[in-house]
């Protein structure tokens, strides 16, 4: 009985072996197909990455070209103007501090230079300003105020030069004030006050005459 079982098992083993071999071949083929599919996916992913990289490079080049074109059309940048104005303001502040340290002589020098600038600038601007005929005095003074606003804006640009000249001329102004004090016996401060009010009142009177004369001749 044992012998018969062994014989039947031996007779069945070739067919079982063939079935196992076929299963092994199918498993090998499936594994090979899976590797082929994985390789295809990797190649597809690489192609997509290359396409995205190319698109990103093209967008970057386009942005750079647009930036270069803007720089050609607008060579002066806002940041550059802001940096220049900040540097200019610092220099103005430094010179203003020096004028203050020079005391009344420095302030007198700066006031005289301001008077000269405003007188010359307003006279020139008012000469070229056209006003209608039969304009009243009050309206003419309002127009003159607009002109003075432009003159003041221009004074901010020339402020650095006036401060520098005031610092340079303060010693001479100091000598002049002391000379007046020696001749008149006035105090130094009194001479300073007279010069300041003289510049202010003299400019105001001169500007008023210019405005009224233009109204009369319009």
């Amino acid at each position: 009985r044992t012998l018969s079982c062994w014989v039947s098992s031996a007779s069945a083993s070739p067919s079982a072996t063939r079935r196992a071999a076929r299963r092994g071949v199918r498993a090998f083929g499936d594994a090979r197909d899976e590797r082929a599919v994985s390789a295809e996916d990797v190649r597809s992913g690489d192609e997509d990455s290359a396409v995205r990289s190319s698109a990103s490079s093209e967008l970057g080049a386009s942005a750079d070209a647009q930036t270069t074109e803007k720089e050609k059309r607008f060579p002066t940048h806002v940041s550059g103007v802001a940096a220049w104005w900040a540097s200019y303001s610092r220099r103005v502040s430094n010179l203003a501090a020096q004028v203050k340290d020079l005391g009344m002589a420095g302030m007198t020098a700066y006031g005289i230079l301001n008077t000269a600038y405003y007188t010359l600038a307003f006279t020139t601007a008012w000469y070229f300003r056209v006003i209608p005929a039969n304009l009243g005095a009050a309206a003419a003074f309002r127009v003159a105020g607009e002109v003075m606003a432009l003159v003041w804006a221009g004074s901010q640009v020339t402020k650095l030069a006036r401060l520098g000249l005031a610092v340079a001329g303060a010693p001479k102004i100091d000598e002049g004030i002391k000379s007046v004090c020696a001749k008149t016996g006035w105090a130094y401060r009194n001479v300073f006050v007279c010069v300041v009010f003289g510049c202010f009142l003299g400019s105001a009177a001169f500007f008023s005459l210019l405005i009224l004369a233009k109204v009369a001749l319009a």
Side-chain angles (χ1 to χ4, degrees), residues 99-199:
V99 170
K100 185 177 180 180
D101 292 338
L102 290 171
M104 287 183 285
M107 296 300 296
T108 302
Y110 185 63
I112 292 173
L113 290 169
N114 272 349
T115 302
Y117 165 79
Y118 277 98
T119 300
L120 179 62
F122 180 81
T123 301
T124 304
W126 186 246
Y127 175 80
F128 288 103
R129 180 62 184 261
V130 178
I131 62 174
N134 300 323
L135 185 68
F141 274 95
R142 283 195 296 271
V143 175
E146 297 174 359
V147 174
M148 184 59 73
L150 295 176
V151 172
W152 176 85
S155 73
Q156 302 309 301
V157 180
T158 61
K159 192 173 185 177
L160 184 65
R162 285 180 282 120
L163 285 169
L165 291 174
V167 171
K172 293 294 184 182
I173 297 297
D174 181 63
E175 293 177 2
I177 294 177
K178 288 179 179 178
S179 177
V180 173
C181 291
K183 292 179 180 179
T184 61
W186 288 7
Y188 195 99
R189 182 179 297 274
N190 292 339
V191 177
F192 166 76
V193 171
C194 287
V195 172
V196 171
F197 275 97
C199 289

